[in-house]
Amino acid sequence: MKKSELVQQILGSHFGKVPENHRTAEAFAPSNIALCKYWGKRDTDLNLPLTSSLSVALPAFGSHILLSVNSDKKDEIILNDSPVQSDTQFYRRFIDYINLFRPKLSWYFKAVIHSTVPVSAGLASSASGFASLVLALNQLFEWQFDRRQLSVLARLGSGSACRSLWDGFVEWQAGVRADGMDSHGVPLEQIWPDLCLGLLIFSVDAKPISSREAMQRTVQTSRLYRDWPAQVSSDMEKIKKAIREKNFLLLGESAEANAIAMHATMADAIPGISYALPETKTSIQKIRQMRDEGISVYFTQDAGPNLKLIFLRQDMPDISRCFPGLQVVQLFSAGTF
Ligand code: DP6
């Protein structure tokens, strides 16, 4: 099934409708960081994953969007106060997504986006971007879909976006259906107020290879990838248990092992892929050394050189001292420290 057919099926009688003139919608969605990664698709058009994944939202970082019908009869995207040029990948992906809900060019839009996430820095800007866009479209068209339906729609923009419809911990259940209607986010009820995440940013430059392309190359060429589904089911079980029992060591060890395994599958792809900068490697050594000295800190890494440190509030002073540039995010109440 193609993306456009699925959208038609989900929208039903809403499909092809034009939003009312002068309507404006406003939405915010948080970024999310996977503790158990999504890496590999069983359907590249519908962004259906080969395995389930689990993330935690970063409430202070995300995308805010004001979406309106543009009476100027042109599409306009303003990102962080600058117009987005039509020859950029950002513009293309955005328009392609809107066009799923605009089978004929019968109306134009203006989107004013404020992202507090560095675009393309492996900090999941596309996740909060597509999640906020789908929330805004839901208002603009008055679909009144629930979060799970919106999660399915957000997934069509970017897989990890389906986890950005909720705060807190969210599991993306891989599902088995060919149309992917059972492949969406499901929020976990547990909260963990003492859990902290620190952003260690070494570069906000665009990545040398997109996560989309890297994921595909890994699935097609990496021999190590054969072990990935088994690794994920074991890590997923441990991470859910750790969250239920607030067992920090189990959480840190399992999340870190999962990220290391994901990067190992990429390194084994042909040609091999590495997102690490020298700073990434030295910081990983430092984290290990800190653990040897009794400080409980772990890391995870996505498709970029930056690291996300995982630790408990009680260890924040020690960790901030070792990493002076660290931006610490409160996961379960808005704001940064
Ligand atoms: C490494 O969701 O950006 O961050 O579905 O192709 O848009 P597409 O990929 P995307 O991949 C995210 C990969 C990851 C791991 C994760 O967030 O689970």
Side-chain angles (χ1 to χ4, degrees), residues 16-38:
K17 287 207 173 136
V18 175
E20 262 173 48
N21 244 342
H22 309 300
R23 264 192 91 84
T24 296
E26 187 173 1
F28 173 83
S31 261
N32 73 75
I33 298 297
L35 300 170
C36 188
K37 307 292 184 191
Y38 147 55

Side-chain angles (χ1 to χ4, degrees), residues 10 14 131 134-135 138 142-154 162 165-166 181 184-185 187:
I10 295 173
H14 293 291
V134 86
L135 283 165
N138 188 44
E142 298 181 296
W143 294 329
Q144 296 184 327
F145 289 151
D146 65 26
R147 294 267 159 165
R148 289 189 184 195
Q149 288 168 301
L150 295 176
S151 173
V152 168
L153 290 176
C162 80
L165 271 301
W166 296 270
M181 288 308 292
H184 52 71

Side-chain angles (χ1 to χ4, degrees), residues 27-28 62-66 78-82 112-117 128 132:
F28 173 83
S63 301
H64 177 270
I65 183 169
L66 261 179
I78 316 282
L79 174 62
N80 295 340
D81 302 321
S82 304
V112 181
I113 304 163
H114 277 104
S115 170
T116 48
V117 183
S128 61
S132 61

Side-chain angles (χ1 to χ4, degrees), residues 21-255:
N21 244 342
H22 309 300
R23 264 192 91 84
T24 296
E26 187 173 1
F28 173 83
S31 261
N32 73 75
I33 298 297
L35 300 170
C36 188
K37 307 292 184 191
Y38 147 55
W39 197 247
K41 306 181 193 193
R42 62 185 159 92
D43 183 319
T44 50
D45 196 45
L46 300 181
N47 290 334
L48 289 177
L50 279 154
T51 60
S52 296
S53 57
L54 193 148
S55 64
V56 64
L58 303 187
F61 292 92
S63 301
H64 177 270
I65 183 169
L66 261 179
L67 184 67
S68 51
V69 178
N70 198 350
S71 47
D72 281 353
K73 300 220 175 308
K74 60 173 183 182
D75 292 330
E76 259 181 290
I77 309 173
I78 316 282
L79 174 62
N80 295 340
D81 302 321
S82 304
V84 177
Q85 302 305 320
S86 57
D87 57 356
T88 56
Q89 203 208 11
F90 187 99
Y91 187 91
R92 210 45 278 154
R93 276 186 80 181
F94 198 97
I95 297 276
D96 285 350
Y97 188 76
I98 293 256
N99 284 345
L100 291 169
F101 308 95
R102 188 172 62 168
K104 282 191 281 210
L105 205 53
S106 43
W107 59 280
Y108 296 85
F109 69 85
K110 179 171 182 181
V112 181
I113 304 163
H114 277 104
S115 170
T116 48
V117 183
V119 175
S120 294
L123 276 177
S125 62
S126 62
S128 61
F130 283 108
S132 61
L133 177 54
V134 86
L135 283 165
L137 288 167
N138 188 44
Q139 288 172 31
L140 200 73
F141 284 103
E142 298 181 296
W143 294 329
Q144 296 184 327
F145 289 151
D146 65 26
R147 294 267 159 165
R148 289 189 184 195
Q149 288 168 301
L150 295 176
S151 173
V152 168
L153 290 176
R155 193 196 72 230
L156 302 179
S158 184
S160 52
C162 80
R163 300 183 308 232
S164 273
L165 271 301
W166 296 270
D167 283 333
F169 298 113
V170 178
E171 180 180 356
W172 172 8
Q173 295 180 348
V176 291
R177 286 175 57 150
D179 67 2
M181 288 308 292
D182 56 352
S183 183
H184 52 71
V186 177
L188 268 60
E189 61 189 25
Q190 293 91 355
I191 63 162
W192 196 337
D194 285 338
L195 190 67
C196 295
L197 203 125
L199 303 176
L200 207 50
I201 313 236
F202 310 118
S203 166
V204 291
D205 297 342
K207 5 183 177 181
I209 170 169
S210 71
S211 51
R212 186 162 288 189
E213 208 183 321
M215 203 184 282
Q216 218 25 37
R217 187 192 296 170
T218 305
V219 173
Q220 285 164 354
T221 64
S222 162
R223 278 171 309 165
L224 269 188
Y225 188 78
R226 291 180 206 151
D227 299 335
W228 176 248
Q231 168 95 30
V232 169
S233 34
S234 146
D235 292 340
M236 186 66 120
E237 219 169 283
K238 290 184 199 158
I239 289 170
K240 283 164 99 173
K241 180 174 155 64
I243 293 171
R244 269 195 317 272
E245 296 173 359
K246 296 211 171 29
N247 179 341
F248 180 72
L249 287 190
L250 185 62
L251 181 83
E253 279 171 8
S254 317

